Amino acid sequence: MANITVSSDIHDFMQSANKAAARSNLDLDNADGGYEFTGGFTDRTTGLAGQSDVGSNVQYTQTMVDAGTWLRFGFDSTSQATNDVPYWTSPTPASATGIGLFGGSYMPEGVTSMFDYSFNASTYSNAVTSGDLQYTAATGSLDYTQCKAGDLALVRFDFNLLPQVVNTTIEVALIWQTRDSSDNATFTFSLTGEPLFYGVGTVGRTFLNRPILSAYFASNEDVNARALPAIRADNQVQIQPLTILNTIQR
């Protein structure tokens, strides 16, 4: 009877250990998401991320209107270092240099980068001036290369808009390009959100907008995608890119 008792105890212990290991693996697989925030837009030359809702005017021109061109907003390292300056003292801010305003403090499990400020590849960064999908040149990208299939991206693009013509409709999108494991582009398209409409009484006034765009990752090509925020309008407008909040949900 004693031997049976010992054997049973060992069996119970092994079952408990296996269950604990399984829970540990499940916790890792389902680790919480997170976010990073930046004002490192190349076109933002005034104001600081998180401190100011005033930026630099960029003109969406009549030529863009006529061609249906998406005006993209890229990132660069110089703008990131200038604009992402922590405005708080407690908790002690992490270094924002090359990362974002929060210095990676709140990123998802296993992720150390959510923006690529130096990305510049001709297949995505160059302008496209013909066809059904036209967009302006821009460097940098949202960075999901350390994420995984099954993640969900929520991207809040903060900008000021000044309508110049009554009854103007604005489309906001991510210009999204999936890429294979060798970084060859596979598909490029606009992930477009709900349009914004500016009617009577809006001309010459500045409006702060914070639309949220979403993207799911169904494959490794989605994880390796390149993406930038963009707008398109049916009339001329002035826009001030301010900040972008890049969130991963799991």
Side-chain angles (χ1 to χ4, degrees):
M1 293 296 293
N3 289 335
I4 295 175
T5 302
V6 171
S7 175
S8 176
D9 288 345
I10 293 174
H11 177 70
D12 290 344
F13 172 79
M14 293 302 297
Q15 278 193 323
S16 297
N18 290 336
K19 288 178 180 179
R23 283 196 299 270
S24 178
N25 290 334
L26 183 62
D27 290 342
L28 182 61
D29 289 342
N30 295 328
D32 289 342
Y35 54 85
E36 187 52 84
F37 182 80
T38 188
F41 287 112
T42 302
D43 292 309
R44 182 169 190 177
T45 58
T46 55
L48 298 178
Q51 299 186 51
S52 173
D53 282 338
V54 177
S56 316
N57 282 327
V58 180
Q59 183 69 44
Y60 188 86
T61 67
Q62 188 61 46
T63 300
M64 296 176 184
V65 174
D66 295 340
T69 300
W70 289 98
L71 173 59
R72 295 193 298 173
F73 299 96
F75 308 105
D76 67 65
S77 298
T78 299
S79 297
Q80 190 275 320
T82 300
N83 298 336
D84 289 345
V85 179
Y87 54 86
W88 66 93
T89 58
S90 180
T92 302
S95 173
T97 303
I99 301 175
L101 183 64
F102 302 138
S105 297
Y106 313 121
M107 283 189 190
E109 181 76 23
V111 175
T112 61
S113 174
M114 296 187 74
F115 298 98
D116 186 339
Y117 298 100
S118 61
F119 180 77
N120 188 7
S122 60
T123 53
Y124 184 73
S125 303
N126 290 356
V128 173
T129 57
S130 62
D132 295 333
L133 180 62
Q134 300 186 34
Y135 48 79
T136 59
T139 59
S141 175
L142 304 178
D143 185 0
Y144 299 115
T145 55
Q146 295 176 340
C147 297
K148 59 186 179 181
D151 285 350
L152 173 68
L154 299 177
V155 180
R156 195 188 78 192
F157 178 28
D158 300 354
F159 60 88
N160 286 325
L161 192 91
L162 192 154
Q164 296 176 273
V165 180
V166 70
N167 295 335
T168 293
T169 298
I170 309 294
E171 296 175 273
V172 184
L174 296 175
I175 304 303
W176 191 275
Q177 182 182 87
T178 55
R179 297 161 70 91
D180 64 21
S181 59
S182 299
D183 287 337
N184 297 309
T186 51
F187 300 98
T188 307
F189 49 91
S190 62
L191 282 174
T192 310
E194 294 294 325
L196 306 173
F197 180 73
Y198 295 88
V200 175
T202 62
V203 173
R205 298 172 58 193
T206 299
F207 296 88
L208 175 62
N209 298 271
R210 289 176 171 163
I212 296 176
L213 303 163
S214 62
Y216 60 80
F217 302 140
S219 68
N220 290 335
E221 288 190 12
D222 292 325
V223 171
N224 198 33
R226 302 297 181 262
L228 284 173
I231 66 149
R232 185 168 65 177
D234 58 0
N235 289 303
Q236 293 188 61
V237 298
Q238 291 185 349
I239 180 172
Q240 299 173 4
L242 299 175
T243 54
I244 194 161
L245 178 65
N246 192 11
T247 301
I248 290 294
Q249 286 190 350
R250 290 176 173 165

